[in-house]
Structure formats: structure tokens, C-alpha cells
Amino acid sequence: MNRKIVAVDIDEVLIPHNAPLADLHNRLFGTSHTVDDYHDDWPLLWSVNREEAERRAEIWWNSEEWKQRHERPIDGSLAVLQDLQKKYDLVIVTGRSKRTAEFTEKWLEEYFPSIFSNVHFVGIWEEGLGKNKSEVCLNTGVSYLIEDSLEQAFACAEKGIEVLLFGDYNWNKHDSLGQKVVRVKDWQEVGRYFEKDYSN
Ligand SMILES: [Mg+2]
């Protein structure tokens, strides 16, 4: 029997992203953002044009802070994924650029050894606004996506993918998530969701 595929996002699902980015940006550019100010539209958040936002994003991706945040995966992620691996095929679908592939794949093998059978880099930033994960999820037969971004969640849910909207973050608050999107506030809730799914 073919096993169902669960796709997992990296940033803000396996490791923190916006808190260290806010710290770095505040330090370098004199802003005073908190993690709760963050959302996906960085030019708007930073009040700069797209070119300048890309320059700042480049600084972030090349910073020590970017690397350091990989050292502490989000609580419970590994244990729950090890459990899920017994029943599902697990893959990564990240918005990160392919340019991070070498670092990201090495890090995944160190912190999540032999958990993921494939890693897909969607390159949301390179492809321009509006690029989403639904195409790669559909092309690779993904049934479930664990994701913190509302925009990605809705884009994938629209294509029939079950989305577990990860975290109770300021940037993913929404009054009506619809039928295909379920909020899970942490990895323990992810585990419980799949226990229920598998027993059906
Ligand atoms: Mg994310």
C-alpha cells in the first residue's frame, strides 16, 4: 500500500525564523520591531522597496544569526516526526532558495537524520510574489502540509491538500480557516491530529 505523503515546512515549523530576523534587522537598521510585527511582506514591514528588501534578505541569509537559529529545533519536532515516519512518507517543502540547499540538507541530516525522503526548495523569493507551494505539493502527491504561513496554507488548501497551520503566531491569525485548514499550536498537537487521522 502506498503511504500518504506529509510535507513539512522548515522556518517557524522546525526552527525559529522571525525572532532572530527581527533582532538582526533592529540592530542593523535601527528598527524596533518585535516578532509579532512580522509577516511575509518584508518590503512593507521594513518600509523599503523590493530591491532594498532583497539586499537586506541577502544579509540575513548570509549572517551568523541565520546559521545559529538552526541549533535549537522547535520542541517536540523530532520525536513527533520519528513517530509519523512509521506510517507516512515525510518530505520537506520549503520556500527557501536552492542556494541554501547544501547547508539546509546537511543540517537536516544532522538534526533530523533519515527522517525526510526528499527536500523541495520552492524559492518563493526568487520567483517573485505570488509563488506558492501548491504546485510542488500537487506534483509530488502530498496529502498533508504542516505550514505556518496563512498564504501558503490557503493556496494549498484550495488545491485539496489538508493543511495543519502550525503555531499560534501573530502572522497567522485568521477568523475562519475553512474546512481544509486546521490549526495546531505545537508539535504535540500535530501528533494528536495524526493519531486521529490514522485511526479512521
Ligand atoms: Mg514557514
Side-chain angles (χ1 to χ4, degrees):
M1 191 182 89
N2 270 354
R3 304 202 311 169
K4 285 184 176 176
I5 300 173
V6 179
V8 183
D9 177 32
I10 295 180
D11 295 304
E12 296 293 0
V13 171
L14 295 181
I15 45 167
H17 178 273
N18 288 345
L21 172 58
D23 288 347
L24 179 81
H25 193 274
N26 288 346
R27 187 160 50 77
L28 294 182
F29 300 102
T31 45
S32 52
H33 295 136
T34 70
V35 64
D36 285 344
D37 295 322
Y38 266 74
H39 50 73
D40 289 344
D41 192 339
W42 294 351
L44 179 72
L45 174 73
W46 295 334
S47 304
V48 296
N49 62 24
R50 188 161 174 86
E51 198 184 1
E52 174 60 14
E54 277 172 15
R55 189 185 74 82
R56 293 183 187 189
E58 245 348 280
I59 293 173
W60 164 235
W61 292 321
N62 288 302
S63 68
E64 269 313 297
E65 288 85 345
W66 191 86
K67 287 203 175 104
Q68 277 165 12
R69 75 200 174 86
H70 290 77
E71 291 164 10
R72 290 207 52 191
I74 290 176
D75 281 353
S77 49
L78 178 60
V80 172
L81 286 166
Q82 282 170 330
D83 221 34
L84 289 185
Q85 192 182 31
K86 295 172 194 157
K87 296 163 187 162
Y88 299 91
D89 187 15
L90 306 178
V91 301
I92 289 284
V93 177
T94 173
R96 290 183 180 191
S97 157
K98 258 217 168 315
R99 281 177 295 166
T100 72
E102 198 184 333
F103 178 89
T104 301
E105 283 171 359
K106 215 168 126 212
W107 167 75
L108 283 167
E109 221 19 71
E110 189 181 342
Y111 285 82
F112 297 91
S114 304
I115 294 283
F116 299 104
S117 60
N118 221 327
V119 184
H120 302 280
F121 295 87
V122 178
I124 287 165
W125 269 82
E126 289 158 322
E127 301 290 336
L129 291 174
K131 174 83 181 176
N132 68 58
K133 298 183 178 180
S134 65
E135 199 182 314
V136 70
C137 284
L138 283 182
N139 289 343
T140 51
V142 164
S143 295
Y144 305 91
L145 170 68
I146 308 173
E147 169 70 50
D148 70 293
S149 156
L150 263 184
E151 189 187 333
Q152 299 300 330
F154 287 144
C156 292
E158 208 174 282
K159 304 284 181 191
I161 294 158
E162 304 264 343
V163 181
L164 286 76
L165 184 65
F166 188 88
D168 201 1
Y169 298 125
N170 208 39
W171 58 86
N172 68 19
K173 292 198 185 317
H174 201 278
D175 289 338
S176 64
L177 294 175
Q179 287 191 334
K180 285 279 184 192
V181 182
V182 173
R183 187 179 301 279
V184 285
K185 73 172 190 319
D186 54 25
W187 275 96
Q188 286 68 33
E189 281 199 1
V190 174
R192 285 197 289 276
Y193 175 93
F194 282 105
E195 270 168 29
K196 218 167 50 195
D197 176 73
Y198 203 69
S199 60
N200 283 339

